Amino acid sequence: MALYVHGYQAREGERLHDQASTLADLLHAGTVYAEGNVVLEAGCAVGAQTVELASRSPAARFVSVDLSAASAALASRRAADAGLGNVSCAAADIFALPFGPRAFDHVFVCFVLEHLARPTAALAELRGLLRPGGTITVIEGDHGSAYFHPDSAAARAAISCQVALQAAAGGNALIGRELYPLLVKAGFAGVEVQPRQVYVDGSRPALLDGFTRKTFTAMIEGTRAAAIDAGLSTAAAFDAGIADLYRTAAPDGTFCYTFFKATARNA
Amino acid sequence: MALYVHGYQAREGERLHDQASTLADLLHAGTVYAEGNVVLEAGCAVGAQTVELASRSPAARFVSVDLSAASAALASRRAADAGLGNVSCAAADIFALPFGPRAFDHVFVCFVLEHLARPTAALAELRGLLRPGGTITVIEGDHGSAYFHPDSAAARAAISCQVALQAAAGGNALIGRELYPLLVKAGFAGVEVQPRQVYVDGSRPALLDGFTRKTFTAMIEGTRAAAIDAGLSTAAAFDAGIADLYRTAAPDGTFCYTFFKATARNA
């Protein structure tokens, strides 16, 4: 699995939690699993999506795995804190999962493929774990979908640093637009992709704060040291870009970002 | 009024007609005017949206104006050909409209502000034509919202030529994201903006053809001579970009574009 560009720090855990609360409905609407179904969440990180998933399908059972044992432990604690009895978490590599073929009714993958050098191979592995007729749900962002007012070359350059860092680590921060061909190539049937766009303007103060500031801009800001160390930007140029991103969260600013949610079937 | 970058040729008229048929539901959903209401369509061009508007609100009456008398005549003929008896078309400048204050119940403006050097002033003019409580509906695209798979620097550069040409002509091809602050600045109340995104992949062949190829790529391709004449690109570079845009309409390609639809009230 590729290096996790966003980092594993505690502050990162908080950021993911803020993001999850603001975006939960946008991302999870339409995903409900039936009583008795067993669902693999591949790449659960610190459990931000796990809690949403499991609380929206209380009669299904979730097996949530992450490459990082520390993350899996945090996810487990978070699920317990939320009073969820239908989740078990474990550390496991998505390319060497300790489950037999056709073990799951459904697979859920969120913000994971963006970090993988071989996303098609990962999807094919996951397909092997699905019973015939079982479904996969994939959610990914796409940093090329970010645009804003006032427009700013400095802000666009700061975002490009994150894209370049993720590419250098073997990932792809522009993967959202690519979910359809990836799932088709991995052998899935009935692939359907829905773009789920976040649009923020002065009439939506909760999103100005919760998304523009605390999710997107904070995420880009978090790559500052890595971007400067890698020679992708200077401190002054990067900081100017971040300032311009925060500027878009003023009452006369706007911000757009699109997540892509795909569903498909193991025929 | 700014120079109309897309041109007034007959082929352009066909392109706008194709675009209107593919996109009509996306753009017009939710816009219905009540019996007896009088609606000003400011900037009707050759009538592609006029026909949609008037046929969706058969009991309302439309006054559709365009700066170009030739366009207004074409719009008039198109409305007549569609059997619509509730439309009158005329040539008029948006900054010198021959109507008294508060003459209209509603104003509709589609793909017009992008061509204006003073969009806020135009909106304020239009507000003066609305009765108190009357509404305005504004629809604009945003070329910065276009992204695609496979990604291509050449394709992005070709799109940037169109943005630069439109800016040089006093317009703004990135205006969609800006509708909220523009309407607020023009004095409107209750401004609400909805992004309406076109997403195209191999499962949507009608959009691959009707939108990716015949609407967006054809529109960019139509600026080839102007872009080369202006020194913004070379023939080889531009053609490579266009080829890459057509490539995104293959079954494993994807294409995203967002229109912005705003409504607001003259308080």
Side-chain angles (χ1 to χ4, degrees):
Chain A
M1 184 184 276
L3 188 145
Y4 186 62
V5 169
H6 303 162
Y8 284 104
Q9 296 83 352
R11 200 189 154 198
E12 172 70 9
E14 277 172 38
R15 188 187 67 76
L16 290 176
H17 184 63
D18 284 349
Q19 173 172 337
S21 342
T22 307
L23 299 176
D25 287 332
L26 183 82
L27 300 181
H28 289 275
T31 302
V32 180
Y33 299 109
E35 182 169 354
N37 276 188
V38 185
V39 183
L40 171 66
E41 185 192 11
C44 64
V46 297
Q49 309 306 326
T50 310
V51 169
E52 290 297 331
L53 262 185
S55 59
R56 285 161 193 256
S57 295
R61 199 151 55 76
F62 294 85
V63 178
S64 297
V65 302
D66 199 84
L67 184 62
S68 155
S71 290
L74 280 169
S76 185
R77 196 168 65 199
R78 182 174 288 185
D81 287 352
L84 294 166
N86 58 340
V87 180
S88 22
C89 299
D93 187 329
I94 211 168
F95 286 107
L97 289 167
F99 308 111
R102 308 176 173 201
F104 294 95
D105 298 299
H106 304 287
V107 170
F108 180 87
V109 192
C110 185
F111 305 148
V112 172
L113 298 183
E114 58 165 326
H115 300 296
L116 305 185
R118 297 183 297 134
T120 310
L123 288 170
E125 288 278 331
L126 293 170
R127 189 165 67 80
L129 298 178
L130 275 174
R131 67 162 165 81
T135 71
I136 189 168
T137 299
V138 183
I139 300 175
E140 295 289 343
D142 189 316
H143 290 0
S145 76
Y147 51 96
F148 32 80
H149 173 76
D151 192 16
S152 153
R156 283 186 267 118
I159 296 170
S160 295
C161 290
Q162 203 280 343
V163 175
L165 286 170
Q166 197 151 337
N172 177 7
L174 311 177
I175 202 167
R177 72 189 72 176
E178 215 174 321
L179 291 186
Y180 180 85
L182 287 173
L183 284 158
V184 169
K185 260 191 283 181
F188 283 96
V191 181
E192 283 183 27
V193 176
Q194 294 179 344
R196 298 201 171 180
Q197 189 174 29
V198 182
Y199 165 75
V200 186
D201 66 28
S203 71
R204 312 182 190 206
L207 283 173
L208 280 178
D209 193 55
F211 189 79
T212 306
R213 283 195 200 104
K214 291 189 176 156
T215 298
F216 188 82
T217 305
M219 182 267 294
I220 298 297
E221 198 171 14
T223 65
R224 182 180 189 276
I228 295 168
D229 286 354
L232 295 167
S233 188
T234 63
F238 195 88
D239 293 345
I242 296 299
D244 284 354
L245 284 173
Y246 280 117
R247 166 69 184 85
T248 70
D252 65 344
T254 65
F255 195 93
C256 301
Y257 187 91
T258 298
F259 295 94
F260 290 81
K261 182 168 186 171
T263 54
R265 213 171 54 246
N266 181 26
Chain B
M1 183 185 278
L3 188 143
Y4 185 61
V5 168
H6 302 164
Y8 285 105
Q9 297 83 354
R11 200 191 153 196
E12 172 70 9
E14 277 172 37
R15 187 187 68 75
L16 289 176
H17 184 63
D18 285 350
Q19 174 172 337
S21 342
T22 307
L23 299 177
D25 287 333
L26 183 82
L27 300 181
H28 289 275
T31 301
V32 180
Y33 300 109
E35 182 168 355
N37 276 187
V38 185
V39 184
L40 172 66
E41 185 192 11
C44 64
V46 297
Q49 309 306 326
T50 310
V51 170
E52 289 298 332
L53 262 185
S55 58
R56 285 162 193 257
S57 294
R61 200 151 54 76
F62 294 84
V63 178
S64 297
V65 304
D66 199 84
L67 184 62
S68 155
S71 290
L74 280 169
S76 186
R77 196 169 65 198
R78 181 173 289 184
D81 288 350
L84 294 166
N86 58 340
V87 180
S88 23
C89 299
D93 187 329
I94 212 168
F95 286 106
L97 289 166
F99 309 111
R102 307 176 174 201
F104 294 96
D105 298 299
H106 305 286
V107 171
F108 180 87
V109 192
C110 184
F111 305 146
V112 171
L113 298 184
E114 58 166 326
H115 300 295
L116 305 184
R118 296 184 296 135
T120 309
L123 289 171
E125 288 279 330
L126 293 171
R127 190 165 67 80
L129 299 179
L130 276 174
R131 66 162 165 80
T135 71
I136 189 168
T137 299
V138 183
I139 301 176
E140 294 289 344
D142 189 314
H143 290 0
S145 76
Y147 51 96
F148 33 79
H149 173 74
D151 192 16
S152 154
R156 282 186 267 118
I159 296 169
S160 296
C161 290
Q162 203 280 343
V163 175
L165 286 170
Q166 197 151 336
N172 178 7
L174 311 177
I175 202 168
R177 71 189 72 174
E178 215 174 322
L179 291 186
Y180 180 85
L182 287 172
L183 284 158
V184 169
K185 260 190 284 183
F188 283 96
V191 181
E192 284 183 27
V193 176
Q194 295 179 343
R196 299 202 171 180
Q197 189 174 29
V198 182
Y199 165 75
V200 186
D201 65 28
S203 71
R204 312 181 190 206
L207 282 173
L208 280 177
D209 193 55
F211 189 78
T212 307
R213 283 195 200 104
K214 291 189 176 156
T215 298
F216 188 82
T217 305
M219 182 265 293
I220 298 296
E221 198 172 14
T223 65
R224 182 180 189 276
I228 295 168
D229 286 355
L232 294 167
S233 187
T234 63
F238 194 88
D239 292 345
I242 296 299
D244 284 353
L245 284 174
Y246 281 117
R247 166 68 183 85
T248 70
D252 65 344
T254 64
F255 195 93
C256 301
Y257 188 91
T258 299
F259 295 94
F260 290 81
K261 182 168 186 171
T263 55
R265 214 172 53 246
N266 181 26

